[in-house]
């Protein structure tokens, strides 16, 4: 890919630093707003690709280097050369209700030829609202979705406005893993005949995947992969080994990283490393038999958003690290792991610098893309800033 070298004069503390940054032409931001932020491994250049977004929730990179961004209020936009498009037409009807709205975007594995993408969102029906998944085809000019079809809606709706989840991870066979929170009714996360509080696994047409633990059984719903999840707002598959990972909100503390396995129960609301908002302890404490412990947890809470596994070329120092967006403390957590996947250490980056961080994505060139969850939200690009005086 052809690159362009750009000279920037920026400040880092009291020092003035001249930077030459090589950026792929197809991913070069149009705006000149750049900041240098130190980190443990390497100084980082954070550039504003676009601003003026209304509570953006998810970003995907299109094959031509432009971006698709969902806004929680129900709009999908394309960002190209720093310019934000008018709303893309053809979306399903979105019920904006509390934490609900237009949520994740995920491109099909064959998007470059099929133009198929998937959306999660809150949809209205009998009894209230609930998390749904739709499939559509992005037009060649990027202005509309065509043949948009709802392929999934959760089994039981409610008027409550919290804990919709919901991000999508596309598996190697094209199937979708996604999470739905407990919808503010904790015990639903323990009911295998309820989609709430679960990680689900479906085929691209919405049918249950053949590997699901309750398929063909009356013991649970066929779409369910695992249960006991409070509000999973991050999900990712490690491209190196296929490991499924989630980032989940706890209550007062107890945010978790999990590796959901089929048929397993991750404890909510029976066990947690946090406490209830009332201050009360959980029924069975922090661990108990028959409930899977988290790979990692935060107490106090960082309110995790998206999670990504870093396998890019730009930051070889981060290979295999987990990158987690966080709304509280307005940071990005970088978790180093050993060869068995155990978390060894945590670095907190950008604390308070850019606002509430909702999404984090590893771009094709290895840069990080971040979305800030604000009225005037921004799409940020994080690259190396190896500077010399």
């Amino acid at each position: 890919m052809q690159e362009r070298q750009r000279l920037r004069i920026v400040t880092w503390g009291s020092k003035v630093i001249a930077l030459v940054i090589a950026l792929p032409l197809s991913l070069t931001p149009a705006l000149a707003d750049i900041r240098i932020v130190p980190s443990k491994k390497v100084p980082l250049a954070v550039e504003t690709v676009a601003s003026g977004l209304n509570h953006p929730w998810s970003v995907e990179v299109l094959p031509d280097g432009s971006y698709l961004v969902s806004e929680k209020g129900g709009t999908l936009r394309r960002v190209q050369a720093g310019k934000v498009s008018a709303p893309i037409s053809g979306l399903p009807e979105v019920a904006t209700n509390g934490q609900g709205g237009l949520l994740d975007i995920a491109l099909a594995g064959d998007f470059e030829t099929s133009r198929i993408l998937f959306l999660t969102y809150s949809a209205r029906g009998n009894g209230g609202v609930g998390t749904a998944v739709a499939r559509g085809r992005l037009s060649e000019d990027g202005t509309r979705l065509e043949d948009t079809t709802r392929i999934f809606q959760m089994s039981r709706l409610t008027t409550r406005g919290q804990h919709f989840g919901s991000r999508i991870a596309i598996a190697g066979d094209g199937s979708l893993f996604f999470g739905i929170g407990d919808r503010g009714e904790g015990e639903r996360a323990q009911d295998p005949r309820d989609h709430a509080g679960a990680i689900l696994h479906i085929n691209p047409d919405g049918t249950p995947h053949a590997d699901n633990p309750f398929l063909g059984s009356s013991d649970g719903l066929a779409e369910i992969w695992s249960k006991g999840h409070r509000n999973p707002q991050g999900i990712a598959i490690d491209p190196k080994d296929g490991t499924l990972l989630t980032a989940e909100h706890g209550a007062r503390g107890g945010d978790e990283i999990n590796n959901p396995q089929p048929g397993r129960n991750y404890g909510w609301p029976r066990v947690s490393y946090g406490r209830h908002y009332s201050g009360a302890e959980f029924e069975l404490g922090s661990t108990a038999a028959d409930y899977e412990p988290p790979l990692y947890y935060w107490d106090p809470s960082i309110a995790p958003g998206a999670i990504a596994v870093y396998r890019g070329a730009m930051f070889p120092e981060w290979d295999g690290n987990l990158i987690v967006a966080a709304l509280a403390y307005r940071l990005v957590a970088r978790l180093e792991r050993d060869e068995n996947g155990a978390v060894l250490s945590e670095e907190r980056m950008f604390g308070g610098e850019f606002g509430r961080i909702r999404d984090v994505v590893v771009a094709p060139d290895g840069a990080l893309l971040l979305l800030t969850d604000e009225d005037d939200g921004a799409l940020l690009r994080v690259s190396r800033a190896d500077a010399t005086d």
Side-chain angles (χ1 to χ4, degrees):
M1 182 180 293
Q2 187 179 1
E3 292 186 339
R4 174 190 301 165
Q5 288 192 333
R6 303 167 68 196
L7 179 66
R8 297 287 195 201
I9 305 298
V10 298
T11 60
W12 186 2
S14 60
K15 296 180 69 176
V16 176
I17 303 172
L19 298 181
V20 176
I21 303 173
L23 297 176
L25 284 177
S26 64
L27 294 177
T28 300
L31 302 182
D33 180 14
I34 188 168
R35 294 171 63 180
I36 304 305
V37 180
S39 75
K40 287 182 179 179
K41 297 285 189 179
V42 61
L44 305 172
V46 184
E47 189 154 9
T48 301
V49 177
S51 58
L53 297 162
N54 184 13
H55 293 279
W57 219 89
S58 177
V59 60
E60 283 277 11
V61 184
L62 294 175
D64 65 1
S66 63
Y67 309 91
L68 278 184
V69 178
S70 66
E71 294 175 310
K72 179 173 165 287
T75 49
L76 182 65
R77 299 181 188 272
R78 186 181 181 196
V79 176
Q80 190 170 30
K83 296 181 179 179
V84 179
S85 75
I88 292 170
S89 64
L91 270 67
E93 184 176 350
V94 176
T96 54
N97 180 45
Q99 296 171 2
L102 181 59
L103 305 175
D104 203 22
I105 317 162
L107 305 184
D110 63 351
F111 177 86
E112 195 159 4
T113 55
S114 72
R115 308 287 289 180
I116 295 295
L117 58 84
F118 302 92
L119 304 169
T120 57
Y121 60 105
S122 53
R124 195 171 304 281
N126 292 331
V129 293
T131 305
V133 182
R135 166 191 172 117
R137 179 181 297 105
L138 184 66
S139 64
E140 291 296 332
D141 63 5
T143 63
R144 64 190 182 279
L145 285 187
E146 301 169 337
D147 303 323
T148 306
T149 305
R150 181 189 297 174
I151 61 171
F152 171 88
Q153 182 161 9
M154 66 183 303
S155 55
R156 179 180 153 200
L157 308 184
T158 176
T159 57
R160 287 179 177 260
Q162 64 263 52
H163 302 177
F164 292 87
S166 170
R167 293 198 183 271
I168 303 169
I170 306 290
D173 64 358
S175 62
L176 286 67
F177 286 95
F178 61 101
I180 299 177
D182 66 8
R183 298 294 286 108
E185 298 169 325
E187 284 301 322
R188 295 180 63 182
Q190 289 298 316
D191 183 355
R193 296 176 182 83
D194 191 329
H195 288 132
I199 302 301
L200 301 106
H201 188 199
I202 61 174
N203 296 312
D205 62 359
T207 57
H209 194 273
D211 291 343
N212 289 352
F214 298 118
L215 186 67
S217 166
S218 60
D219 293 337
L221 297 180
E223 296 86 1
I224 289 175
W225 181 255
S226 59
K227 287 289 289 183
H229 303 277
R230 182 175 183 266
N231 191 24
Q233 289 196 355
I235 190 166
I237 295 174
D238 188 338
K240 183 176 181 179
D241 59 17
T243 299
L244 180 68
L245 295 155
T246 58
E248 309 182 23
H249 287 255
R252 261 180 57 180
D255 295 343
E256 297 180 351
I257 302 293
N258 283 306
N259 167 216
Q261 299 295 313
R264 302 288 181 86
N265 190 314
Y266 291 81
W268 180 260
R270 307 287 171 75
V271 298
S272 173
Y273 279 93
R275 289 176 177 262
H276 289 289
Y277 288 121
S278 66
E281 296 183 356
F282 285 85
E283 175 186 351
L284 300 178
S286 57
T287 60
D290 300 324
Y291 298 105
E292 301 299 318
L295 297 180
Y296 190 75
Y297 71 92
W298 289 272
D299 186 12
S301 173
I302 65 166
I307 183 173
V309 183
Y310 192 84
R311 296 294 183 187
M314 185 173 290
F315 299 102
E317 308 92 335
W318 294 355
D319 185 54
N321 291 184
L322 305 182
I323 312 294
V324 182
L327 300 160
Y329 304 113
R330 304 181 178 194
L331 58 83
V332 172
R334 182 180 64 83
L335 306 179
E336 294 189 359
R337 300 187 294 166
D338 66 17
E339 63 276 7
N340 297 315
V343 175
L344 301 175
S345 65
E346 176 183 356
E347 178 185 11
R348 297 188 173 192
M349 305 185 293
F350 315 130
E353 292 287 328
F354 302 104
R356 290 160 48 88
I357 309 298
R358 172 66 72 180
D359 198 11
V360 57
V361 169
V362 181
D365 66 348
L368 293 183
L369 301 174
L370 308 177
L371 287 177
T372 65
D373 180 23
E374 307 287 348
D375 292 339
D376 182 11
L379 169 59
L380 307 175
R381 180 178 183 273
V382 181
S383 59
R384 296 186 73 92
D386 292 323
T388 57
D389 291 342

